[in-house]
Amino acid sequence: MRRNMDAAQRLDRALGDELETLKNRALYRLRRITQTPQGAVIVVDGNRCLNFSSNDYLGLAAHPQLADAVHRGVADYGVGSGAAHLVTGHSRAHHALEEELAAFTARPRALLFSSGYLANLGIAVALLGRGDLALQDRLNHASLLDAGLLCGARCRRYAHADAYALALQLTRPARRKLVLSDGVFSMDGDLAPLPQLAMAAQTAGAILMVDDAHGLGVLGASGRGSLEHFNLELAQVPVLMGTLGKAFGAFGAFVAGSEALIETLIQRARTYIYTTAPPAALAEAARAALRLAQADSWRRQHLQALIRRFRAGATQLGLPLLESMTPIQPLLLGETQKALTVSEKLRQRGVLAVAIRPPTVPAGTARLRITLTAGHSEIQVDQLLDALAFAMQGS
Ligand SMILES: *Cc1c(COP(=O)(O)O)cnc(C)c1O
């Protein structure tokens, strides 16, 4: 007993030292407490602010039709799903959503996962093992990088958005080769050169998997994402992962692909098999979101107009914009402390734009990750630009 106490105390002391180091390096992270639904204006830590830090790109997270769908879903199915999909957790609502997602992505089938993170882990583990090769863009989302490590395949990263570097790495011999890429890079907002990646993969007999967490709903005339933007088909991108918690304003994720791919995931994806199905009511919310995302093309048009307005204004102010045509419009600030200082000055002006620091982004590339949504107005974008002009003075 006594020895256990000592071990517990030693652990706390060691952890305390590590936490102290994070604080000293301006890498300590704090959670803000939100008191309102997502939207252009939210109350965070008791303060009303203009919100430029959500992934609610279409402004659907607090939409009444999604809320109604959840209410109806709870009335029809209760709250908890009670079991995994393969036991008794797979409701008619989940099944209908899968069929609608398959139709939306123009693929034979789709399979729901509880989150994008779990979907990525599940795909890699189901498709890859020892003797296989996983090739990743250097700036891929953490869940893709973790998926590569977890599946036991040989993992290599290629230079960001560089199809030529990928092609060189694809010459390695392997049983099966999977190329994994974000469609839209989550912290930079740029698009992967998907046609070139698809070409390199096809040439080498490799499979391309695209994680379109930030493209779906937003890009393409009908919101079908990066693949619609580039006019790519199933043969070029056999594995498509999309999330339901960002532009769709709900929760969860899905994979869309061939019959054989989806059946394989059902049989082999451990993060599908060994976890409780999400509540059916959330599937109903996602169904409502999918309908709105398709019907309300004005959301995408308005968002694109806001992106153009922000970029024109930021260019005039000489702000350090990145090359991005998506709602993710980061300002590259470099040092961690600088990003925190600018973020804090914005907060004093009632603007929330969260600083993103290593290890989420590479060292020396700390930034403000500004995101625009269809819920913002042009006036609010102008207020953001005014606040940025103030906050960037002298920095
Ligand atoms: C957010 C995100 C995920 C994870 O999705 P969740 O549903 O939030 O778990 C995966 N990939 C990318 C690129 C993301 O931005």
Side-chain angles (χ1 to χ4, degrees):
M1 196 62 205
R2 170 77 220 204
R3 212 177 294 157
N4 281 343
M5 280 293 281
D6 290 349
Q9 283 167 349
R10 271 201 307 280
L11 175 66
D12 279 350
R13 210 169 305 130
L15 296 180
D17 289 348
E18 288 168 22
L19 291 171
E20 207 49 46
T21 308
L22 287 177
K23 284 180 190 162
N24 293 337
R25 292 196 199 151
L27 293 176
Y28 198 77
R29 298 167 187 237
L30 288 173
R31 299 174 300 172
R32 296 159 195 81
I33 297 181
T34 308
Q35 293 164 244
T36 50
Q38 278 298 328
V41 177
I42 57 175
V43 177
V44 168
D45 292 337
N47 300 310
R48 233 175 90 88
C49 56
L50 266 177
N51 174 17
F52 290 100
S53 285
S54 88
N55 301 316
D56 182 23
Y57 303 123
L58 294 179
L60 295 179
H63 195 287
Q65 287 187 29
L66 270 69
D68 285 349
V70 169
H71 288 135
R72 273 185 285 106
V74 168
D76 290 347
Y77 300 98
V79 178
S81 69
H85 281 281
L86 285 172
V87 185
T88 55
H90 187 66
S91 71
R92 213 162 55 158
H94 293 114
H95 207 72
L97 174 57
E98 288 183 343
E99 288 174 354
E100 288 156 13
L101 287 167
F104 177 65
T105 56
R107 286 167 180 249
R109 281 185 72 182
L111 185 71
L112 288 175
F113 279 77
S114 298
S115 77
Y117 203 120
L118 292 175
N120 284 341
L121 298 184
I123 294 165
V125 168
L127 297 184
L128 300 179
R130 287 167 63 92
D132 296 328
L133 183 61
L135 295 175
Q136 309 240 18
D137 187 290
R138 283 197 65 77
L139 297 187
N140 270 353
H141 189 262
S143 58
L144 287 175
L145 300 176
D146 290 355
L149 297 177
L150 183 67
C151 72
R154 191 131 63 107
C155 292
R156 289 284 181 278
R157 295 205 212 177
Y158 56 89
H160 177 55
D162 188 341
Y164 181 69
L166 168 65
L168 289 182
Q169 300 219 16
L170 276 168
T171 57
R172 289 167 185 279
R175 196 177 57 134
R176 182 180 285 162
K177 302 174 190 177
L178 184 69
V179 178
L180 304 93
S181 181
D182 284 21
V184 173
F185 288 90
S186 55
M187 295 300 136
D188 291 65
D190 57 330
L191 271 76
L194 294 182
Q196 289 84 347
L197 298 183
M199 184 76 79
Q202 232 159 13
T203 305
I207 302 297
L208 176 59
M209 163 186 171
V210 171
D211 170 342
D212 210 18
H214 299 278
L216 275 172
V218 173
L219 296 177
S222 49
R224 282 159 220 266
S226 308
L227 273 55
E228 184 182 16
H229 175 84
F230 286 118
N231 204 7
L232 292 171
E233 291 173 358
L234 181 122
Q236 293 152 300
V237 184
V239 188
L240 170 65
M241 197 288 284
T243 59
L244 301 169
K246 288 172 179 159
F248 292 119
F251 190 77
F254 69 93
V255 180
S258 70
E259 183 73 30
L261 174 75
I262 298 306
E263 272 308 314
T264 300
L265 293 176
I266 292 173
Q267 308 306 321
R268 308 260 304 267
R270 295 170 62 83
T271 56
Y272 181 78
I273 300 168
Y274 299 109
T275 198
T276 302
L282 290 180
E284 292 291 13
R287 296 179 69 195
L290 194 56
R291 281 193 294 274
L292 283 167
Q294 291 176 89
D296 292 0
S297 51
W298 65 265
R299 291 178 190 276
R300 276 180 292 282
Q301 286 153 16
H302 177 56
L303 186 53
Q304 286 305 326
L306 296 181
I307 293 168
R308 284 193 297 275
R309 189 180 188 89
F310 174 74
R311 288 189 67 85
T315 303
Q316 234 169 27
L317 292 171
L319 300 179
L321 281 174
L322 296 182
E323 252 343 286
S324 162
M325 52 159 296
T326 69
I328 304 168
Q329 292 290 329
L331 295 184
L332 192 61
L333 296 174
E335 288 316 308
T336 300
Q337 192 52 58
K338 185 169 168 187
L340 288 178
T341 303
V342 175
S343 180
E344 176 54 29
K345 282 190 186 166
L346 287 174
R347 209 190 53 77
Q348 288 164 13
R349 289 280 166 122
V351 167
L352 181 67
V354 171
I356 305 287
R357 296 167 278 170
T360 306
V361 293
T365 72
R367 66 198 66 185
L368 290 187
R369 182 176 180 270
I370 292 169
T371 50
L372 302 171
T373 77
H376 288 118
S377 66
E378 297 192 343
I379 291 171
Q380 288 168 331
V381 169
D382 293 346
Q383 288 169 337
L384 166 65
L385 288 164
D386 284 347
L388 282 169
F390 160 80
M392 292 290 285
Q393 267 167 19
S395 63

